[in-house]
Amino acid sequence: MATRTRSLPELLGGSEWKMSLGERAALEGMLSLLEPSVSVEIGTLEGGSLERVSTHSELVHSFDLARHPSVTTERFPNVEFHEGDSHELLPAALSELAAAGTNIDFALVDGDHTAEGARRDVQDLLDSPATGRAVILIHDTLNERVRAGLEQVDFDREKVTFVELDFVVGQLWHGGSFDHALWGGLGLVVTGWELQRSAPGHANRPHDAAEVYETFRRTLAAGAVERPQYGEIRSLERQVLDTQASMRLMERSVSWRLTTPLRRLKRLFR
């Protein structure tokens, strides 16, 4: 119980953690389920997400261009830091892990946010035998550049058993320096785990979040957005409920029951 009490402020607080609360909760939940032996994080920044990844993992390989002064070996004793370009360092590290027979249980991709950079990081992970049975979370999947790169990833391979780029949907920012910018979102890629999928052609497939948000952003730019009239919706719902209640009272009345045969005859003649 004491551990849970300490972890809640860590989950909800921390300005150095550049994730929404929903993204943090999803990451924490996935790590709690997996309790990985070996994890990979691409893009560490000030160590917000690394706090949680390292807490749940026995060993973590962290990749970033440079290490922030607050990200120290004293703070993260179970983390091996790889400083430099992940597109050069990651394939080499994956080869070493695969040669040693090490499986990567969990990976968080939050590094290069260009289209080609995002594609290469995910593609390198999927190409490696070290991700034979892994859970990969990808941050900022709503961002148009990241999304463009992910659309080019070859997910159509036997080891990939599940892909959901809108596992947690991102946000369209309002106001400030990020006005109308698309950021956030977590994508989920699973390899090796046998997961139940929906039947092919399932009718209840949601729209792609990136397309929905981009359409809304264009509508904003055109000045054609109207806020939903929630008060009007509640008023209409009350009217429907009142009407239904009145109909039930009428149907239980003596006159309604007495005239039932006449209404049946009328429908028959029609």
Side-chain angles (χ1 to χ4, degrees):
M1 186 63 68
T3 301
R4 291 184 180 180
T5 303
R6 287 195 303 269
S7 66
L8 187 60
E10 294 170 356
L11 180 67
L12 300 180
S15 59
E16 75 277 6
W17 193 353
K18 309 303 181 185
M19 283 190 180
S20 70
L21 298 185
E23 293 163 357
R24 297 179 188 189
L27 174 64
E28 182 74 17
M30 191 64 70
L31 289 167
S32 298
L33 285 172
L34 292 173
E35 292 297 331
S37 294
V38 179
S39 295
V40 165
E41 181 179 81
I42 305 172
T44 293
L45 199 58
E46 297 179 49
S49 56
L50 186 58
E51 285 274 10
R52 309 315 307 153
V53 177
S54 63
T55 295
H56 289 279
S57 306
E58 295 178 16
L59 174 65
V60 184
H61 290 270
S62 165
F63 296 83
D64 212 328
L65 290 172
R67 203 191 318 178
H68 191 273
S70 65
V71 180
T72 63
T73 53
E74 290 76 21
R75 182 183 172 192
F76 300 107
N78 63 332
V79 176
E80 183 175 331
F81 294 100
H82 304 261
E83 296 183 54
D85 189 345
S86 65
H87 308 313
E88 297 176 3
L89 300 177
L90 181 62
L94 291 173
S95 295
E96 291 182 9
L97 291 170
T102 302
N103 185 77
I104 296 169
D105 305 301
F106 175 81
L108 174 62
V109 180
D110 194 13
D112 190 338
H113 283 65
T114 65
E116 178 59 15
R119 184 199 67 80
R120 286 185 63 182
D121 282 336
V122 175
Q123 194 79 46
D124 287 341
L125 285 168
L126 294 179
D127 287 344
S128 173
T131 57
R133 182 179 170 91
V135 169
I136 302 171
L137 288 181
I138 309 164
H139 192 221
D140 289 318
T141 54
L142 190 63
N143 179 264
E144 51 267 71
R145 288 177 295 171
V146 174
R147 193 72 168 222
L150 296 177
E151 292 292 339
Q152 300 302 312
V153 173
D154 177 20
F155 292 116
D156 188 17
R157 57 183 77 197
E158 186 175 354
K159 69 187 285 185
V160 176
T161 57
F162 187 85
V163 178
E164 176 54 78
L165 297 183
D166 297 314
F167 179 57
V168 177
V169 179
Q171 299 167 325
L172 174 62
W173 288 87
H174 175 62
S177 58
F178 289 100
D179 191 34
H180 293 181
L182 296 171
W183 284 105
L186 281 178
L188 173 64
V189 180
V190 179
T191 66
W193 293 81
E194 291 299 327
L195 300 179
Q196 183 68 38
R197 294 170 177 252
S198 299
H202 197 284
N204 295 327
R205 184 178 181 274
H207 286 286
D208 185 284
E211 296 176 0
V212 171
Y213 274 73
E214 180 56 37
T215 301
F216 179 66
R217 184 164 62 175
R218 289 197 300 269
T219 305
L220 276 176
V225 173
E226 295 183 8
R227 289 186 58 83
Q229 301 300 312
Y230 295 115
E232 184 180 348
I233 291 173
R234 290 196 301 272
S235 176
L236 291 172
E237 285 183 340
R238 284 196 296 269
Q239 291 180 36
V240 170
L241 291 173
D242 291 343
T243 301
Q244 291 174 339
S246 298
M247 290 180 63
R248 286 193 294 271
L249 287 174
M250 182 181 66
E251 290 170 353
R252 288 197 293 268
S253 68
V254 175
S255 60
W256 181 266
R257 290 198 298 270
L258 288 175
T259 57
T260 297
L262 294 176
R263 288 194 302 276
R264 289 175 178 170
L265 284 173
K266 187 176 181 179
R267 286 196 298 269
L268 179 62
F269 283 118
R270 284 180 177 174

